[in-house]
């Protein structure tokens, strides 16, 4: 089945092997996992389960780490609405990397991007969501020393001079080829990728020396960093490394959980009841049509969205395996599997929501001052 992955649209049944070839990235293999494990101890379950599956230049980054060089993490969010569980996947992994390797994170909120790309979103709304989304990152437990937040329209003084250095090296024909722009595209969109390159330069600018950067993200953002990796060495910076995750699927239908289809996404601001109702009503089930048939033939965890979500949110490998076994054998029904997921998500979200409310008055401490 055909699928499409661009920074603005993901649809169909994504074939991640094909995507590695199409985008020209590298698969995360056992040798790389062993190298990471040498430094991290036990691997994060996103790595153990290959939910992060692809990368650019991770071996180079580990070389730099082994040489004792300081490095930094960079990730981001296009604030078009509230944060959903899909966005949290690269962010939770980034938090683990920051803790494990003792490195800071630069977090970009691209209110300019979402204003330019979303027909009906005002700049004020996008900026408001930037402030809301920032709370979710802070709620993951970062200290202000480790997390530096950049909001494009508010950090323009720092970012714009760097963005035009990048922009000068990118031709219209490159952006057309990479992003599929046409004559109808507004010129802000054409310029935008220069802004997404800048936080990969900021750690070096602030330190006054070259600082390697690793960018964790879902694979849809890779086109931006393909361009950035091409340009940065031309203007005196190292190519950023990157590490890519699969998409947390939408509750039903193919593709990724997407903020623009609200009933197929679970937001960090959803109430326990909303989570329960959405999972019960919409989560695509790999169960059988009748209880009798299910008991006899068992369910299919590999197409069951609730089970897929548990591969992200249930860290305990043994527990996950026992759920898989029970579901496959028919001992566990779809409704029971959904109940496990609902409990897991709501337990996480109650705590997360408390922390994100506390973050509201502390946001200022996290905004990059430069
Ligand atoms: P945005 O806001 O679309 O997405 C934010 C981050 O979440 C990832 N993502 C997902 N990951 C797993 N499952 C999903 N269903 C899912 N949906 C989205 C995205 O890949 C991204 O990592 N232009 C960017 C903002 C940005 C950025 C960055 C992202 C600026 N600088 C650096 C990553 C790294 C955007 O609109 O992301």
């Amino acid at each position: 089945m055909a699928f499409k992955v661009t920074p603005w649209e993901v649809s169909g049944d994504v074939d991640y092997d094909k995507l590695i070839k199409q985008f020209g990235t590298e698969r995360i293999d056992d040798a790389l996992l062993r190298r990471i494990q040498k430094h991290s101890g036990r691997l994060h379950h996103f790595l153990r389960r290959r939910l992060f599956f692809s990368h650019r230049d991770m071996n180079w980054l580990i070389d730099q780490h082994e040489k004792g060089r300081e490095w930094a993490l960079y990730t981001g969010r296009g604030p078009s609405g509230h944060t959903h569980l899909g966005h949290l996947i690269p962010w939770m992994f980034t938090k683990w990397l920051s803790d494990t390797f003792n490195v800071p994170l630069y977090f970009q909120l691209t209110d300019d991007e979402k204003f330019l790309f979303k027909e009906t979103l005002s700049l004020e709304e996008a900026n408001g969501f930037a402030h809301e989304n920032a709370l979710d990152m802070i709620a993951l437990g970062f200290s202000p020393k480790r997390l530096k937040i950049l909001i494009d329209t508010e950090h323009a003084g720092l970012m714009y001079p760097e963005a035009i250095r990048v922009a000068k090296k990118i031709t219209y024909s490159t952006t057309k080829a990479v992003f599929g722009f046409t004559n109808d595209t507004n010129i802000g969109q054409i310029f935008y990728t220069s802004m997404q390159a800048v936080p990969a330069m900021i750690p070096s600018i602030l330190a006054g020396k070259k600082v390697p950067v690793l960018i964790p993200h879902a694979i849809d953002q890779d086109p931006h960093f393909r361009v950035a990796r091409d340009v940065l060495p031309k203007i005196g910076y190292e190519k950023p490394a990157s590490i890519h995750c699969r998409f947390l699927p939408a509750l039903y239908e193919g593709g990724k959980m997407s903020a623009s289809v609200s009933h197929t996404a679970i937001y960090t601001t959803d109430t326990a009841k909303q989570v329960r109702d959405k999972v019960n009503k919409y989560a695509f089930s790999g169960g059988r049509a009748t209880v009798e048939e299910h008991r006899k033939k068992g369910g299919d965890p590999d197409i069951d969205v609730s089970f897929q979500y548990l591969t992200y949110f249930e860290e305990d490998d043994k527990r996950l395996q026992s759920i898989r076994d029970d579901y496959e054998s028919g001992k566990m029904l779809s409704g029971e599997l959904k109940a496990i997921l609902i409990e897991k998500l709501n337990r996480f979200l109650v705590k997360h929501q408390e922390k994100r409310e506390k973050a509201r008055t502390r946001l200022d401490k996290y905004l990059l001052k430069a």
Side-chain angles (χ1 to χ4, degrees):
M1 198 177 105
F3 65 92
K4 189 169 176 188
V5 176
T6 76
W8 302 286
E9 189 193 343
V10 176
S11 59
D13 205 357
V14 180
D15 181 333
Y16 290 99
D17 290 329
K18 271 203 188 135
L19 213 51
I20 285 179
K21 285 207 192 95
Q22 237 178 54
F23 282 7
T25 64
E26 281 180 73
R27 187 184 312 282
I28 296 181
D29 58 13
D30 290 342
L32 177 56
L33 288 182
R34 277 196 298 274
R35 272 198 92 183
I36 297 174
Q37 191 165 15
K38 212 172 100 195
H39 297 283
S40 68
R42 188 168 163 74
L43 289 173
H44 192 281
H45 66 286
F46 291 173
L47 286 173
R48 296 201 301 276
R49 297 176 192 163
R50 300 289 207 276
L51 299 172
F52 274 77
F53 70 104
S54 147
H55 73 101
R56 290 184 187 272
D57 272 345
M58 273 304 287
N59 280 303
W60 169 80
L61 185 91
I62 299 172
D63 290 343
Q64 306 315 304
H65 181 74
E66 289 176 352
K67 283 181 195 159
R69 286 183 72 192
E70 280 170 33
W71 54 280
L73 289 156
Y74 155 39
T75 198
R77 158 81 179 130
S80 56
H82 278 299
T83 303
H84 62 55
L85 296 180
H87 303 132
L88 289 185
I89 303 306
W91 302 358
M92 292 191 299
F93 184 65
T94 303
K95 172 69 167 58
W96 178 78
L97 288 170
S98 172
D99 290 345
T100 304
F101 291 92
N102 196 11
V103 286
L105 166 64
Y106 291 80
F107 182 51
Q108 179 183 31
L109 288 152
T110 56
D111 50 353
D112 54 346
E113 176 193 11
K114 291 297 141 166
F115 169 65
L116 289 165
F117 282 85
K118 295 259 163 185
E119 196 58 52
T120 57
L121 191 74
S122 72
L123 188 52
E124 292 69 25
E125 285 167 329
N127 183 258
F129 281 125
H131 286 248
E132 284 295 314
N133 296 166
L135 305 179
D136 289 296
M137 186 56 101
I138 297 169
L140 295 182
F142 281 97
S143 83
K145 274 203 190 111
R146 277 282 183 76
L147 170 61
K148 310 284 174 200
I149 298 175
L150 296 137
I151 302 177
D152 284 3
T153 60
E154 296 175 30
H155 287 80
L158 172 67
M159 298 180 74
Y160 184 69
E162 309 311 326
I164 57 173
R165 287 184 225 282
V166 176
K168 197 171 178 177
K169 299 286 180 200
I170 306 174
T171 63
Y172 179 46
S173 82
T174 296
T175 58
K176 264 202 304 196
V178 175
F179 299 108
F181 293 148
T182 64
N183 281 351
D184 299 331
T185 305
N186 75 52
I187 60 173
Q189 294 185 6
I190 294 162
F191 172 75
Y192 167 71
T193 195
S194 329
M195 287 297 282
Q196 191 155 325
V198 171
M201 304 151 68
I202 296 281
S204 302
I205 293 167
L206 297 180
K209 63 176 180 190
K210 287 184 183 177
V211 176
V213 168
L214 170 63
I215 316 173
H217 57 86
I219 188 84
D220 60 336
Q221 296 297 314
D222 181 67
H224 285 296
F225 300 119
R226 232 181 288 154
V227 175
R229 282 167 54 84
D230 193 37
V231 171
L232 262 55
K234 296 180 186 158
I235 56 174
Y237 299 89
E238 289 165 314
K239 289 183 184 195
S242 55
I243 185 160
H244 316 131
C245 65
R246 296 164 192 267
F247 302 108
L248 185 77
L251 281 169
Y252 75 98
E253 296 162 349
K256 63 165 185 174
M257 181 175 279
S258 163
S260 45
V261 199
S262 70
H263 58 283
T264 72
I266 294 173
Y267 297 91
T268 59
T269 49
D270 279 353
T271 62
K273 181 176 181 321
Q274 280 172 316
V275 172
R276 192 176 64 234
D277 291 349
K278 283 184 190 179
V279 172
N280 280 332
K281 190 162 174 197
Y282 298 113
F284 184 82
S285 166
R288 303 285 174 172
T290 65
V291 172
E292 293 76 57
E293 199 191 343
H294 188 93
R295 293 276 186 228
K296 225 196 298 165
K297 296 184 180 157
D300 182 352
D302 295 323
I303 59 164
D304 190 290
V305 166
S306 302
F307 187 80
Q308 295 311 307
Y309 283 19
L310 285 173
T311 63
Y312 289 86
F313 290 97
E314 175 53 69
E315 289 177 36
D316 183 336
D317 293 341
K318 281 201 189 114
R319 172 138 173 77
L320 189 69
Q321 186 61 43
S322 102
I323 294 170
R324 172 183 272 281
D325 293 344
D326 287 352
Y327 194 56
E328 264 174 343
S329 72
K331 190 168 156 204
M332 182 183 288
L333 299 173
S334 268
E336 292 165 330
L337 176 58
K338 287 188 176 195
I340 292 172
L341 176 68
I342 291 165
E343 213 223 47
K344 186 94 208 162
L345 293 181
N346 279 336
R347 223 188 292 155
F348 166 78
L349 284 176
V350 164
K351 281 202 207 118
H352 182 82
Q353 286 166 3
E354 262 170 38
K355 288 187 262 178
R356 103 185 266 293
E357 279 318 303
K358 278 196 192 133
R360 217 170 267 286
T361 51
R362 292 163 51 230
L363 174 58
D364 188 55
K365 291 196 174 73
Y366 290 85
L367 294 174
L368 178 71
K369 316 268 183 320

